[in-house]
Amino acid sequence: MRVEIWSDIACPWCYVGKARFERALADFPHRDRVEVVHRSFELDPGRAKDDVQPVLTMLTKKYGMSEAQAQAGEENLAAQAAVEGLAYRTRGRDHGSTFDMHRLLHLAEENGRRGELLQILYTANFAEERSVYADDERLVELAVAAGLDAADARRVLADPDAYADAVRADEREAAQLGATGVPFFVLDRRYGVSGAQPAEVFARALAQAWDEQQKTQAGGHA
């Protein structure tokens, strides 16, 4: 069974949702027969690479909330992340384009390291002090930490067309499936789960999709 997950590195609920899904998957009896495929999605497509601003500034402008409301939201996210054992900095984070990160994730996929790089990027963005935006060498360091070759990572970052089509293909597919936000989980192309749902919701979805698949296969062999 295949589970596809559309997500963005700038999305805090994707960070939390990934941990919740993985908790459910760890307890799923058929987890060894589940293939997890990560897909690209940009919350802020078309944003210029050098357009980097504080998270609180972005939140107040995008959602029309006060800075106090935005900060309260960050504190709530930190609490939700902590339940999953995730670190989350509530102050001093910034926001920018994730397009280059998604291009690197496609390079990582070709090298069998996409899961590793995705988690490293999440941790760097949400838990570490140094920004992941508008600094190619920071992204090269993170790619190397995930097991990629530094020269390969630099080559991708230097060529804006490298893997650009792959990122956009993922995003087109998300739109075709009706995803307007992330995280978006598609189980066996039968069920969709939107948002960072509790692990129990993912557990039920996994069981349901698995049972449906088994019934279909049994019917096909009859």
Side-chain angles (χ1 to χ4, degrees):
M1 186 170 76
R2 172 181 281 197
V3 178
E4 296 162 279
I5 307 173
W6 275 263
S7 59
D8 192 10
I9 299 95
C11 165
W13 290 113
C14 296
Y15 179 49
V16 173
K18 180 175 182 287
R20 290 177 178 172
F21 171 77
E22 287 173 351
R23 184 149 54 87
L25 183 61
D27 292 335
F28 184 58
H30 311 289
R31 63 185 175 276
D32 293 341
R33 295 176 64 188
V34 176
E35 177 193 14
V36 177
V37 180
H38 292 283
R39 305 283 194 198
S40 295
F41 190 102
E42 293 170 276
L43 288 174
D44 209 350
R47 189 184 188 101
K49 182 170 180 171
D50 60 357
D51 184 5
V52 180
Q53 63 184 163
V55 164
L56 292 187
T57 302
M58 180 273 293
L59 290 171
T60 57
K61 287 182 177 177
K62 186 171 183 178
Y63 299 107
M65 59 177 67
S66 69
E67 191 164 312
Q69 288 172 320
Q71 186 61 52
E74 287 291 281
E75 300 291 345
N76 173 54
L77 273 160
Q80 303 260 5
V83 172
E84 305 303 327
L86 302 173
Y88 190 98
R89 293 177 67 234
T90 59
R91 297 178 186 276
R93 290 196 308 108
D94 58 6
H95 176 81
S97 170
T98 56
F99 188 59
D100 282 352
M101 289 180 245
H102 284 295
R103 296 193 302 112
L104 282 176
L105 284 164
H106 280 277
L107 169 68
E109 184 172 18
E110 286 190 354
N111 289 272
R113 311 298 292 178
R114 185 166 185 151
E116 290 82 355
L117 180 57
L118 182 61
Q119 191 59 47
I120 284 169
L121 288 169
Y122 275 141
T123 301
N125 186 43
F126 292 109
E128 296 174 7
E129 194 166 334
R130 190 174 162 199
S131 174
V132 295
Y133 301 102
D135 181 357
D136 283 358
E137 279 308 300
R138 171 66 163 149
L139 294 181
V140 171
E141 287 175 20
L142 296 172
V144 169
L148 299 180
D149 181 76
D152 287 345
R154 286 194 185 97
R155 196 154 45 240
V156 169
L157 292 169
D159 177 5
D161 292 328
Y163 300 101
D165 288 346
V167 175
R168 292 185 181 118
D170 277 353
E171 293 175 337
R172 279 197 303 274
E173 194 165 14
Q176 289 163 2
L177 289 169
T180 56
V182 283
F184 185 62
F185 301 77
V186 176
L187 292 81
D188 207 31
R189 289 291 166 121
R190 297 171 187 270
Y191 299 105
V193 179
S194 296
Q197 300 293 334
E200 296 75 21
V201 172
F202 289 123
R204 286 196 298 271
L206 284 165
Q208 192 172 3
W210 179 267
D211 288 347
E212 286 290 327
Q213 185 200 66
Q214 299 309 300
K215 285 178 194 172
T216 301
Q217 289 179 348
H221 295 313

